[in-house]
Amino acid sequence: MKRIGILTSGGDAPGMNAAVRAVARKALSSNLEVCGINYGYRGLVEGDIFEIKEKEVSDLIQLGGTILYTARYPEFAEKEYQQKGVAQLKRNGIDALVTIGGDGSYHGAVRLTEQGINAIGLPGTIDNDIPFTDQTIGFSTAIQTSVSEIDKIRDTAKSHGRIFVVEVMGRNSGEIALRTAIASGSQVVVIPEKPFDIDQIATTIKDARQRGHQHQIIITAEGAIHADSLTQQLSNLGIENIRSVTLGHVARGGSPTAEDRILASRMGSYAIDLLLAGKGGQAVGIEQGVITHHSMLDLFNTKSKTDLSMYDLANILAY
Ligand code: ADP
Ligand code: F6P
């Protein structure tokens, strides 16, 4: 192995740049050449590839977004496009790849590994919905950002004695919503993993108001119910003085937390260790503080687990 490629794919996540930096620095210090591939698998197929030297990854660890850009490129699920990607890698002398993205991106990495290009995946997504890792790169920052926005919302909520319904990202996962709910002291949290009863939520809010909680924060994950709709339904049930805010993509931007930078650095360096050991088709994770790897094929057969003890805790502490 002489030359490796790095790409970021799917939804971006804070800390992707720190991961790119770590992969590049570790590879360069292992006497490997490094190429960046812009716009994920689309850039791979189109040959949007450039060499990364030491200088290119300076001043990067603190930056949000991804300097390699990202894309959703469903064409890459087709063999014809994968073969074009492999041809581009060969043309550029690239023997192995590190893909930073979610489990969709891992599918592309497996297909490349099957076609002779060892590919390692790093979990770059704010959603924390990837099996075999306690945390994904970007999750810590997404929670931190959501909580600091909600702290501001709480100021105005308190001034007016209002209820605010705040929507955070999470199409299939309530992980962001749960941690955000606990850290922002919310009254109710609604997640895709748990059925909810709108009458019960209205009763909870009314009871809390009776106990003196004039202003309250309700958190909903986008995959459970949108903030606008929940607000309207609660208003129809007699909840007065209620507003909604959708944080959405705000949580995908911004400078990564120290925790995300450290996680990305550890995982990025480990990815090169795996490639140097001749491995491909492996997903890097962190389990009980230790950096680990698992076969992507095993990962596809495993469901990611939402920590529902956080749901119980959020409800208990809302009293
Ligand atoms: P994420 O990686 O965040 O889960 P996506 O599911 O959008 O995001 O996947 C990112 C990209 O990975 C897709 O746009 C596509 O280029 C590639 N990809 C997804 N599924 C497959 C697949 N089955 N085979 C090959 N490539 C895939
Ligand atoms: O990054 C994952 C995620 O944030 C999901 O929670 C969300 O549904 C999705 O991306 C939206 O991404 P986009 O707007 O880029 O399609």
Side-chain angles (χ1 to χ4, degrees), residues 9-11 41 71-74 76-77 82 101-108 111 124-125:
S9 166
Y41 295 114
R72 302 209 193 259
Y73 186 63
F76 204 68
Q82 294 159 15
D103 56 349
S105 303
Y106 286 1
H107 278 90
R111 299 286 92 83
T125 166

PDB file of all heavy atoms in Angstrom, residues 9-11 41 71-74 76-77 82 101-108 111 124-125, ligand 1:
ATOM      1  N   SER A   9     -19.042  11.422   3.262  1.00  0.00           N
ATOM      2  CA  SER A   9     -20.229  11.064   2.472  1.00  0.00           C
ATOM      3  C   SER A   9     -21.491  11.108   3.344  1.00  0.00           C
ATOM      4  O   SER A   9     -21.423  10.974   4.568  1.00  0.00           O
ATOM      5  CB  SER A   9     -19.982   9.642   1.935  1.00  0.00           C
ATOM      6  OG  SER A   9     -21.147   9.059   1.425  1.00  0.00           O
ATOM      7  N   GLY A  10     -22.639  11.320   2.700  1.00  0.00           N
ATOM      8  CA  GLY A  10     -23.903  11.414   3.448  1.00  0.00           C
ATOM      9  C   GLY A  10     -24.024  12.758   4.146  1.00  0.00           C
ATOM     10  O   GLY A  10     -23.381  13.738   3.751  1.00  0.00           O
ATOM     11  N   GLY A  11     -24.828  12.831   5.189  1.00  0.00           N
ATOM     12  CA  GLY A  11     -24.989  14.092   5.931  1.00  0.00           C
ATOM     13  C   GLY A  11     -23.688  14.470   6.619  1.00  0.00           C
ATOM     14  O   GLY A  11     -23.005  13.610   7.156  1.00  0.00           O
ATOM     15  N   TYR A  41     -18.901   9.823  -2.911  1.00  0.00           N
ATOM     16  CA  TYR A  41     -18.797   8.858  -4.017  1.00  0.00           C
ATOM     17  C   TYR A  41     -19.028   9.525  -5.382  1.00  0.00           C
ATOM     18  O   TYR A  41     -18.563   9.029  -6.395  1.00  0.00           O
ATOM     19  CB  TYR A  41     -19.775   7.703  -3.798  1.00  0.00           C
ATOM     20  CG  TYR A  41     -19.424   6.884  -2.568  1.00  0.00           C
ATOM     21  CD1 TYR A  41     -20.265   6.842  -1.458  1.00  0.00           C
ATOM     22  CD2 TYR A  41     -18.228   6.173  -2.503  1.00  0.00           C
ATOM     23  CE1 TYR A  41     -19.922   6.105  -0.327  1.00  0.00           C
ATOM     24  CE2 TYR A  41     -17.877   5.440  -1.376  1.00  0.00           C
ATOM     25  CZ  TYR A  41     -18.729   5.413  -0.288  1.00  0.00           C
ATOM     26  OH  TYR A  41     -18.387   4.691   0.831  1.00  0.00           O
ATOM     27  N   ALA A  71     -21.826  14.515  -0.398  1.00  0.00           N
ATOM     28  CA  ALA A  71     -22.951  14.424  -1.343  1.00  0.00           C
ATOM     29  C   ALA A  71     -23.766  13.181  -1.044  1.00  0.00           C
ATOM     30  O   ALA A  71     -23.266  12.221  -0.454  1.00  0.00           O
ATOM     31  CB  ALA A  71     -22.419  14.339  -2.778  1.00  0.00           C
ATOM     32  N   ARG A  72     -25.019  13.247  -1.446  1.00  0.00           N
ATOM     33  CA  ARG A  72     -25.824  12.014  -1.512  1.00  0.00           C
ATOM     34  C   ARG A  72     -25.827  11.633  -2.989  1.00  0.00           C
ATOM     35  O   ARG A  72     -26.150  12.440  -3.858  1.00  0.00           O
ATOM     36  CB  ARG A  72     -27.218  12.270  -0.993  1.00  0.00           C
ATOM     37  CG  ARG A  72     -27.190  12.803   0.449  1.00  0.00           C
ATOM     38  CD  ARG A  72     -28.414  12.427   1.223  1.00  0.00           C
ATOM     39  NE  ARG A  72     -28.503  13.185   2.462  1.00  0.00           N
ATOM     40  CZ  ARG A  72     -28.170  12.719   3.656  1.00  0.00           C
ATOM     41  NH1 ARG A  72     -27.725  11.503   3.793  1.00  0.00           N
ATOM     42  NH2 ARG A  72     -28.315  13.482   4.723  1.00  0.00           N
ATOM     43  N   TYR A  73     -25.421  10.407  -3.269  1.00  0.00           N
ATOM     44  CA  TYR A  73     -25.215   9.983  -4.651  1.00  0.00           C
ATOM     45  C   TYR A  73     -25.722   8.542  -4.791  1.00  0.00           C
ATOM     46  O   TYR A  73     -24.945   7.576  -4.765  1.00  0.00           O
ATOM     47  CB  TYR A  73     -23.712  10.078  -4.954  1.00  0.00           C
ATOM     48  CG  TYR A  73     -23.309   9.821  -6.386  1.00  0.00           C
ATOM     49  CD1 TYR A  73     -23.741  10.638  -7.423  1.00  0.00           C
ATOM     50  CD2 TYR A  73     -22.460   8.750  -6.691  1.00  0.00           C
ATOM     51  CE1 TYR A  73     -23.343  10.404  -8.726  1.00  0.00           C
ATOM     52  CE2 TYR A  73     -22.056   8.508  -7.984  1.00  0.00           C
ATOM     53  CZ  TYR A  73     -22.494   9.329  -9.005  1.00  0.00           C
ATOM     54  OH  TYR A  73     -22.104   9.098 -10.293  1.00  0.00           O
ATOM     55  N   PRO A  74     -27.045   8.399  -4.894  1.00  0.00           N
ATOM     56  CA  PRO A  74     -27.639   7.056  -4.905  1.00  0.00           C
ATOM     57  C   PRO A  74     -27.131   6.169  -6.041  1.00  0.00           C
ATOM     58  O   PRO A  74     -27.150   4.944  -5.925  1.00  0.00           O
ATOM     59  CB  PRO A  74     -29.148   7.319  -5.039  1.00  0.00           C
ATOM     60  CG  PRO A  74     -29.322   8.776  -5.268  1.00  0.00           C
ATOM     61  CD  PRO A  74     -28.049   9.478  -4.932  1.00  0.00           C
ATOM     62  N   PHE A  76     -24.362   5.332  -6.702  1.00  0.00           N
ATOM     63  CA  PHE A  76     -23.239   4.477  -6.311  1.00  0.00           C
ATOM     64  C   PHE A  76     -23.696   3.093  -5.839  1.00  0.00           C
ATOM     65  O   PHE A  76     -22.877   2.180  -5.693  1.00  0.00           O
ATOM     66  CB  PHE A  76     -22.375   5.162  -5.243  1.00  0.00           C
ATOM     67  CG  PHE A  76     -20.967   4.653  -5.219  1.00  0.00           C
ATOM     68  CD1 PHE A  76     -20.117   4.917  -6.279  1.00  0.00           C
ATOM     69  CD2 PHE A  76     -20.493   3.877  -4.177  1.00  0.00           C
ATOM     70  CE1 PHE A  76     -18.815   4.410  -6.294  1.00  0.00           C
ATOM     71  CE2 PHE A  76     -19.197   3.371  -4.177  1.00  0.00           C
ATOM     72  CZ  PHE A  76     -18.358   3.641  -5.248  1.00  0.00           C
ATOM     73  N   ALA A  77     -24.982   2.925  -5.624  1.00  0.00           N
ATOM     74  CA  ALA A  77     -25.499   1.580  -5.277  1.00  0.00           C
ATOM     75  C   ALA A  77     -25.439   0.656  -6.498  1.00  0.00           C
ATOM     76  O   ALA A  77     -25.563  -0.561  -6.366  1.00  0.00           O
ATOM     77  CB  ALA A  77     -26.916   1.690  -4.739  1.00  0.00           C
ATOM     78  N   GLN A  82     -19.897   1.842  -9.288  1.00  0.00           N
ATOM     79  CA  GLN A  82     -18.816   1.384  -8.403  1.00  0.00           C
ATOM     80  C   GLN A  82     -17.572   1.071  -9.232  1.00  0.00           C
ATOM     81  O   GLN A  82     -16.449   1.413  -8.848  1.00  0.00           O
ATOM     82  CB  GLN A  82     -19.266   0.131  -7.639  1.00  0.00           C
ATOM     83  CG  GLN A  82     -20.388   0.393  -6.661  1.00  0.00           C
ATOM     84  CD  GLN A  82     -21.159  -0.872  -6.305  1.00  0.00           C
ATOM     85  OE1 GLN A  82     -20.711  -1.990  -6.561  1.00  0.00           O
ATOM     86  NE2 GLN A  82     -22.329  -0.706  -5.711  1.00  0.00           N
ATOM     87  N   GLY A 101     -18.667   8.652   7.249  1.00  0.00           N
ATOM     88  CA  GLY A 101     -20.088   8.886   6.979  1.00  0.00           C
ATOM     89  C   GLY A 101     -20.956   7.969   7.824  1.00  0.00           C
ATOM     90  O   GLY A 101     -20.484   7.381   8.798  1.00  0.00           O
ATOM     91  N   GLY A 102     -22.199   7.828   7.407  1.00  0.00           N
ATOM     92  CA  GLY A 102     -23.128   6.972   8.137  1.00  0.00           C
ATOM     93  C   GLY A 102     -23.177   5.573   7.527  1.00  0.00           C
ATOM     94  O   GLY A 102     -22.339   5.225   6.685  1.00  0.00           O
ATOM     95  N   ASP A 103     -24.162   4.785   7.928  1.00  0.00           N
ATOM     96  CA  ASP A 103     -24.167   3.388   7.472  1.00  0.00           C
ATOM     97  C   ASP A 103     -24.460   3.263   5.972  1.00  0.00           C
ATOM     98  O   ASP A 103     -24.028   2.301   5.336  1.00  0.00           O
ATOM     99  CB  ASP A 103     -25.097   2.508   8.308  1.00  0.00           C
ATOM    100  CG  ASP A 103     -26.515   3.027   8.337  1.00  0.00           C
ATOM    101  OD1 ASP A 103     -26.756   4.175   7.897  1.00  0.00           O
ATOM    102  OD2 ASP A 103     -27.403   2.285   8.797  1.00  0.00           O
ATOM    103  N   GLY A 104     -25.143   4.253   5.385  1.00  0.00           N
ATOM    104  CA  GLY A 104     -25.320   4.271   3.928  1.00  0.00           C
ATOM    105  C   GLY A 104     -23.947   4.307   3.249  1.00  0.00           C
ATOM    106  O   GLY A 104     -23.656   3.528   2.333  1.00  0.00           O
ATOM    107  N   SER A 105     -23.103   5.182   3.745  1.00  0.00           N
ATOM    108  CA  SER A 105     -21.750   5.317   3.185  1.00  0.00           C
ATOM    109  C   SER A 105     -20.950   4.030   3.354  1.00  0.00           C
ATOM    110  O   SER A 105     -20.104   3.703   2.517  1.00  0.00           O
ATOM    111  CB  SER A 105     -21.012   6.467   3.879  1.00  0.00           C
ATOM    112  OG  SER A 105     -21.750   7.653   3.750  1.00  0.00           O
ATOM    113  N   TYR A 106     -21.216   3.307   4.436  1.00  0.00           N
ATOM    114  CA  TYR A 106     -20.508   2.039   4.672  1.00  0.00           C
ATOM    115  C   TYR A 106     -20.833   1.022   3.565  1.00  0.00           C
ATOM    116  O   TYR A 106     -20.008   0.175   3.234  1.00  0.00           O
ATOM    117  CB  TYR A 106     -20.895   1.437   6.021  1.00  0.00           C
ATOM    118  CG  TYR A 106     -20.294   2.126   7.237  1.00  0.00           C
ATOM    119  CD1 TYR A 106     -19.465   3.241   7.131  1.00  0.00           C
ATOM    120  CD2 TYR A 106     -20.552   1.636   8.518  1.00  0.00           C
ATOM    121  CE1 TYR A 106     -18.932   3.850   8.262  1.00  0.00           C
ATOM    122  CE2 TYR A 106     -20.011   2.229   9.646  1.00  0.00           C
ATOM    123  CZ  TYR A 106     -19.207   3.339   9.517  1.00  0.00           C
ATOM    124  OH  TYR A 106     -18.678   3.934  10.637  1.00  0.00           O
ATOM    125  N   HIS A 107     -22.055   1.088   3.012  1.00  0.00           N
ATOM    126  CA  HIS A 107     -22.402   0.150   1.933  1.00  0.00           C
ATOM    127  C   HIS A 107     -21.469   0.352   0.736  1.00  0.00           C
ATOM    128  O   HIS A 107     -21.006  -0.616   0.129  1.00  0.00           O
ATOM    129  CB  HIS A 107     -23.865   0.322   1.499  1.00  0.00           C
ATOM    130  CG  HIS A 107     -24.829  -0.397   2.395  1.00  0.00           C
ATOM    131  ND1 HIS A 107     -25.388   0.202   3.498  1.00  0.00           N
ATOM    132  CD2 HIS A 107     -25.292  -1.666   2.374  1.00  0.00           C
ATOM    133  CE1 HIS A 107     -26.172  -0.673   4.114  1.00  0.00           C
ATOM    134  NE2 HIS A 107     -26.131  -1.813   3.448  1.00  0.00           N
ATOM    135  N   GLY A 108     -21.199   1.612   0.424  1.00  0.00           N
ATOM    136  CA  GLY A 108     -20.275   1.908  -0.669  1.00  0.00           C
ATOM    137  C   GLY A 108     -18.886   1.360  -0.360  1.00  0.00           C
ATOM    138  O   GLY A 108     -18.208   0.795  -1.235  1.00  0.00           O
ATOM    139  N   ARG A 111     -18.719  -2.397  -0.943  1.00  0.00           N
ATOM    140  CA  ARG A 111     -18.687  -2.737  -2.386  1.00  0.00           C
ATOM    141  C   ARG A 111     -17.274  -2.525  -2.941  1.00  0.00           C
ATOM    142  O   ARG A 111     -16.779  -3.322  -3.725  1.00  0.00           O
ATOM    143  CB  ARG A 111     -19.695  -1.883  -3.169  1.00  0.00           C
ATOM    144  CG  ARG A 111     -21.137  -2.039  -2.755  1.00  0.00           C
ATOM    145  CD  ARG A 111     -21.724  -3.373  -3.232  1.00  0.00           C
ATOM    146  NE  ARG A 111     -21.587  -4.447  -2.242  1.00  0.00           N
ATOM    147  CZ  ARG A 111     -22.418  -4.656  -1.221  1.00  0.00           C
ATOM    148  NH1 ARG A 111     -23.463  -3.888  -1.039  1.00  0.00           N
ATOM    149  NH2 ARG A 111     -22.216  -5.657  -0.384  1.00  0.00           N
ATOM    150  N   GLY A 124     -19.283   9.012  10.936  1.00  0.00           N
ATOM    151  CA  GLY A 124     -19.466  10.462  10.945  1.00  0.00           C
ATOM    152  C   GLY A 124     -20.924  10.795  10.708  1.00  0.00           C
ATOM    153  O   GLY A 124     -21.383  10.831   9.564  1.00  0.00           O
ATOM    154  N   THR A 125     -21.667  11.002  11.767  1.00  0.00           N
ATOM    155  CA  THR A 125     -23.080  11.408  11.681  1.00  0.00           C
ATOM    156  C   THR A 125     -23.509  11.934  13.035  1.00  0.00           C
ATOM    157  O   THR A 125     -23.105  11.384  14.066  1.00  0.00           O
ATOM    158  CB  THR A 125     -24.006  10.238  11.267  1.00  0.00           C
ATOM    159  OG1 THR A 125     -25.367  10.631  11.522  1.00  0.00           O
ATOM    160  CG2 THR A 125     -23.738   8.966  12.039  1.00  0.00           C
TER     161      THR A 125
HETATM  162  P1  ADP B   1     -25.237   8.170   5.476  1.00  0.00           P
HETATM  163  O1  ADP B   1     -23.908   7.686   5.043  1.00  0.00           O
HETATM  164  O2  ADP B   1     -25.155   9.391   6.324  1.00  0.00           O
HETATM  165  O3  ADP B   1     -26.091   7.058   6.065  1.00  0.00           O
HETATM  166  P2  ADP B   1     -26.727   7.990   2.979  1.00  0.00           P
HETATM  167  O4  ADP B   1     -27.608   6.864   3.401  1.00  0.00           O
HETATM  168  O5  ADP B   1     -27.317   9.103   2.173  1.00  0.00           O
HETATM  169  O6  ADP B   1     -26.019   8.722   4.190  1.00  0.00           O
HETATM  170  O7  ADP B   1     -25.536   7.345   2.142  1.00  0.00           O
HETATM  171  C1  ADP B   1     -24.480   8.162   1.679  1.00  0.00           C
HETATM  172  C2  ADP B   1     -24.045   7.699   0.326  1.00  0.00           C
HETATM  173  O8  ADP B   1     -23.507   6.375   0.404  1.00  0.00           O
HETATM  174  C3  ADP B   1     -25.138   7.581  -0.723  1.00  0.00           C
HETATM  175  O9  ADP B   1     -25.526   8.828  -1.243  1.00  0.00           O
HETATM  176  C4  ADP B   1     -24.462   6.696  -1.749  1.00  0.00           C
HETATM  177  O10 ADP B   1     -23.524   7.429  -2.504  1.00  0.00           O
HETATM  178  C5  ADP B   1     -23.704   5.718  -0.826  1.00  0.00           C
HETATM  179  N1  ADP B   1     -24.529   4.508  -0.635  1.00  0.00           N
HETATM  180  C6  ADP B   1     -25.661   4.401   0.103  1.00  0.00           C
HETATM  181  N2  ADP B   1     -26.201   3.161  -0.008  1.00  0.00           N
HETATM  182  C7  ADP B   1     -25.373   2.462  -0.829  1.00  0.00           C
HETATM  183  C8  ADP B   1     -25.381   1.113  -1.339  1.00  0.00           C
HETATM  184  N3  ADP B   1     -26.337   0.244  -1.027  1.00  0.00           N
HETATM  185  N4  ADP B   1     -24.358   0.746  -2.147  1.00  0.00           N
HETATM  186  C9  ADP B   1     -23.380   1.621  -2.489  1.00  0.00           C
HETATM  187  N5  ADP B   1     -23.329   2.892  -2.053  1.00  0.00           N
HETATM  188  C10 ADP B   1     -24.300   3.320  -1.229  1.00  0.00           C
END
